[in-house]
Amino acid sequence: MAAKQNQSITVNKKQKGKQNEVYFSEDLLHTILLNLDVTSLGRFKCVSKPWNSLISSTRFIRDHSRIHQSNPTMNCYLLCKNYLHYLHERESKRNGTRLLLSPPAVTMMHYGSIFKPLPQQQNRQAIKIGSSSSFKFVFDRQLPSNCDAFQITCCCDGLICISECDRLLLWNPCMGKHKTLPLPDPDATFPAQIWDVFGLGYDSSTDDYKVVRVPSCDDSQVCRNPSVYVMTLKSNLWRKLDIEFPYAVHECGQAISTGGSLYWFALIPRMANKVVLIRFDLETEICRELPMPPNLHVQDANIINEAAKLGILEGCISSSSLNPSKSYFDIWMLKGEIWIKFMSVPTSIHKGEDYIYSLRPLFTDNGGLVMHATLFNNRLVNIFGDLLLIYHPKQDTCRKFHFPGRPDMYPSEVYLNFPSLLSLSI
């Protein structure tokens, strides 16, 4: 049936040998389908051309993404960078041996599958996330061994931006699709000595996604290329911005994408140990400094990536800082340009030789706060580690999980991702 002013979708049914037609308005069908998972929606595209058109529409994709991100407990995935490839390469060189190594991988865990009630006596003990709760995405080639294999630089609306040593990838893991993007600096020598830092976000003014490359630096605070580049996915072309950008993001720094802006903790290379919070507006393509979270003092800019972590809570940029009493971590939310305290988390939730060095808020779950904790042990030659924490302030209970597929005393890089129907052909 042709669509008229009040569009409808036809579903044919056979009843008692006769064929009946049932009509759903497009708005009603839109509402019903929004609650289905990505896999089911992919199959339903084959029902008819109107169904395919509806599910593939920009409005439906963005509404579906918004609804599923509003319930991270059921829909979010935790991405964990696997360091075993890099460590095995380094060990084989040290021992003079040659190992047959598989390509590097990203471990992906569905949060709803790993969250299980624990007996009260295990309340403050860490358990290992089982392999049945996680699976891996493996890169399609062996990468050079003279540098870290890859960096996950940003996640936005189900797309993951990955920087390899000589290429840039956009990846929708739930759709099983990836796209290789050209690099903004084709004359650079790869593998690069310093990783480029990229962010990915949605610009509502143009209904397009933008990839932003900002200056980066390593622990020596040396900046390789001080220019800012922007690519729109519809054009697939890079533009060099004529703006002043006196900052450099640590080469392992992850961009946080929300509300049409990208956020980073960054350094000012000309000023010793000066750490700032910056926001890049995707519509105006202007960067500005924002106030730092209260009591967040990074004494050594060389370890900014472990000391300062950004997250998102209720659509707002969030971070944590150690209370002056050193008995609590305060969790902050940035509303406008004012930091509001969201919660305090006692440092006593984790005891042992290692202690919590920093907390990164991830999302809230039924009154609890899910966080990625970086641990530090200065008795074992300054070793870092990490845990996934789920803290409930009313009950003062905490559940702790170890991440799979990596050495216990080596920090993971953990990222949030949500299922998305977003096509990489936009």
Side-chain angles (χ1 to χ4, degrees), residues 285-311:
E285 298 182 350
I286 295 175
C287 183
R288 60 172 301 188
E289 288 185 34
L290 295 174
M292 288 286 285
N295 301 318
L296 181 59
H297 306 294
V298 182
Q299 297 179 353
D300 186 354
N302 291 342
I303 55 175
I304 178 179
N305 198 49
E306 287 81 17
K309 304 282 188 178
L310 286 174

Side-chain angles (χ1 to χ4, degrees), residues 110 150 184 308 375:
H110 184 252
F150 65 94
L375 307 179

